[in-house]
Amino acid sequence: MMLFNPSHIVPKRFQTWYRVLRVLLFVSFLGTGSAFAYQTLFPSQTFTFSFTNPDTAKNTLEEPLAKDGTTPLRKGRVPANETLVTYAGTFGSFSSAHVDMVLKKDSLLPANGDVRISLRKSYRSFLSPSGDPILAVSKEHGVTVSGVPYLFSAEKLYPFLSDKAALSRFKTEKMVAANGELLTIFPPQETAIGFREGSFLSDTQGVYAVGGDGKAHPIGSTQVFEALGFHWNDVIPVNEEELGFHKRGKIMMFDAAQPNGTVFHDTATGIYSMIRNGKRLAIENRDYLDSLLAVTTAIDVSSDSLSVSATCTPDRTMLSFLNPTYSCDIPLDTLKSFPGGSFEISLETNGELHMASLETIFQTNPDRSNLGIFSRQIRDRFSAAYGKQ
């Protein structure tokens, strides 16, 4: 009986305290459980950047740049009539964003309406600036000599690392068979050719994306892989030698940009584009497009996401005298339907600012619609795990 009613072993002088503490423990457990359930059903994500300490690992917003995409604004000094741009990589569906802009003591205070904050939503690389369209087919060719694959490029012959590396660039039927005389005319180079930029390699440890730097970047999780728009049918199982050919790069998380070689398909216009060196290039040569689609799957996007934004004008919050703080809330209803989980955050100012920090909190409203979304996600995951067993 003592096991179920410990009050019998508590001295009488402590029993009042025992009952109070037991109630407090129950309330604490109930409150913690409720908070956990709320965060699970209606999650939020917080992203920050400290201009006072721009090198801290706690910064979760991408390093801010000016609108030209090259001028750094990491120290928080934003000139008049300039736009600060940064990015947040999210996962999930959010209803609104709360933005806090904290100024340093020496900053000029903006007048009402002088600062405007805008959000756009898509995949990170699709938000990149556009470059010159691709009008011509690639001059590179795949050839085989006695079954050994080579890349013929700029009048030089390079051996492929393996058959799989060759097939990451060319389908089997596009590999031209040649005789041994080709090796005499064009002696093979010593440098081997690895996997195509934008390829996905896998081993027993995980999946890796080959970036424009030639490195194999580990992808953080299956959720990250899918959130970035990648397709499982594009993953190439490789051996230790093939993976080791590419040096290990930085891990890719939800805020990562899609690598060079990624192909996007605009469902609004039907246009295909490819990422190359931070630019989004429209593919206007059908033969080149067909060769790309033969070795990779395009990620569906919408060009409407580039022209539609959600905006707000921040107001100064009360009791922010030492470090003036300006805040506003942005409904995200107009952006919800766009594919991708990356948000571009733009801060446009008419007057010069000296910022201390910028914070954006993406929030999910506690309503029936979002509860339904969560329920469907649980159902879909259950079906994916057990539906085919």
Side-chain angles (χ1 to χ4, degrees):
M1 189 69 180
M2 288 175 55
L3 294 176
F4 301 96
N5 189 8
S7 62
H8 290 297
I9 63 173
V10 178
K12 289 185 177 181
R13 65 180 183 275
F14 295 131
Q15 285 193 0
T16 300
W17 280 106
Y18 164 75
R19 294 188 184 94
V20 171
L21 292 174
R22 187 168 63 176
V23 171
L24 291 177
L25 179 63
F26 176 77
V27 171
S28 176
F29 176 80
L30 186 63
T32 302
S34 299
F36 176 79
Y38 183 89
Q39 285 296 320
T40 301
L41 295 173
F42 310 107
S44 64
Q45 285 183 260
T46 301
F47 297 87
T48 62
F49 191 89
S50 171
F51 298 96
T52 303
N53 190 7
D55 295 317
T56 178
K58 295 180 180 180
N59 287 334
T60 48
L61 286 172
E62 194 170 308
E63 184 164 320
L65 299 173
K67 192 174 183 179
D68 61 13
T70 58
T71 304
L73 296 176
R74 65 197 319 261
K75 294 185 178 180
R77 291 193 178 275
V78 186
N81 302 313
E82 182 59 272
T83 300
L84 176 148
V85 181
T86 184
Y87 297 88
T90 70
F91 58 96
S93 179
F94 299 98
S95 306
S96 63
H98 177 81
V99 182
D100 284 328
M101 176 186 70
V102 181
L103 302 180
K104 291 192 174 181
K105 297 177 182 178
D106 62 352
S107 176
L108 298 175
L109 299 182
N112 289 339
D114 272 1
V115 177
R116 180 186 178 194
I117 296 173
S118 303
L119 298 184
R120 296 193 299 173
K121 175 178 175 284
S122 186
Y123 290 104
R124 174 63 184 88
S125 289
F126 192 69
L127 292 167
S128 301
S130 60
D132 295 333
I134 300 174
L135 303 175
V137 69
S138 172
K139 296 181 179 180
E140 297 183 336
H141 302 282
V143 300
T144 59
V145 179
S146 300
V148 178
Y150 295 88
L151 175 69
F152 187 74
S153 176
E155 301 296 319
K156 292 183 179 180
L157 201 62
Y158 299 88
F160 273 109
L161 170 67
S162 65
D163 289 343
K164 289 181 179 179
L167 293 176
S168 73
R169 296 170 182 263
F170 307 101
K171 295 296 288 184
T172 302
E173 57 270 21
K174 294 296 183 180
M175 299 289 293
V176 179
N179 58 39
E181 293 182 4
L182 183 67
L183 303 183
T184 303
I185 301 173
F186 300 101
Q189 304 295 307
E190 294 183 1
T191 304
I193 300 296
F195 289 83
R196 184 187 69 88
E197 294 177 341
S199 297
F200 301 102
L201 315 180
S202 70
D203 65 359
T204 57
Q205 303 298 316
V207 179
Y208 309 78
V210 179
D213 54 6
K215 296 180 179 180
H217 297 263
I219 298 177
S221 66
T222 57
Q223 290 82 6
V224 171
F225 185 92
E226 294 172 354
L228 296 181
F230 302 144
H231 300 274
W232 290 109
N233 57 293
D234 288 338
V235 177
I236 305 170
V238 295
N239 58 38
E240 184 177 347
E241 179 184 358
E242 289 171 320
L243 182 60
F245 179 84
H246 296 274
K247 292 182 179 179
R248 195 62 56 89
K250 181 182 177 182
I251 189 171
M252 297 178 68
M253 300 302 291
F254 292 101
D255 59 348
Q258 289 69 28
N260 277 5
T262 299
V263 178
F264 289 109
H265 172 232
D266 183 359
T267 57
T269 63
I271 295 174
Y272 287 84
S273 58
M274 186 180 71
I275 298 303
R276 181 183 293 168
N277 300 329
K279 295 288 183 69
R280 175 172 39 84
L281 313 180
I283 305 172
E284 298 186 3
N285 184 285
R286 187 68 208 187
D287 291 336
Y288 184 58
L289 174 61
D290 290 342
S291 69
L292 284 172
L293 296 181
V295 296
T296 188
T297 306
I299 300 173
D300 284 340
V301 292
S302 172
S303 56
D304 292 339
S305 64
L306 302 178
S307 58
V308 177
S309 61
T311 64
C312 72
T313 302
D315 295 318
R316 185 168 180 175
T317 60
M318 298 178 61
L319 305 178
S320 60
F321 303 109
L322 296 179
N323 293 101
T325 301
Y326 291 76
S327 303
C328 64
D329 292 286
I330 307 177
L332 301 178
D333 294 341
T334 56
L335 309 181
K336 267 190 173 183
S337 62
F338 297 138
S342 288
F343 284 88
E344 178 190 78
I345 304 167
S346 300
L347 187 152
E348 183 180 358
T349 177
N350 294 336
E352 182 178 346
L353 296 177
H354 191 189
M355 300 172 60
S357 66
L358 181 66
E359 179 179 85
T360 303
I361 304 173
F362 294 92
Q363 302 168 326
T364 306
N365 291 341
D367 54 32
R368 179 173 296 181
S369 174
N370 288 320
L371 182 59
I373 292 174
F374 176 82
S375 300
R376 287 193 295 273
Q377 289 175 341
I378 294 297
R379 181 192 61 198
D380 292 343
R381 291 172 184 173
F382 184 87
S383 299
Y386 303 106
K388 296 182 180 180
Q389 294 185 0

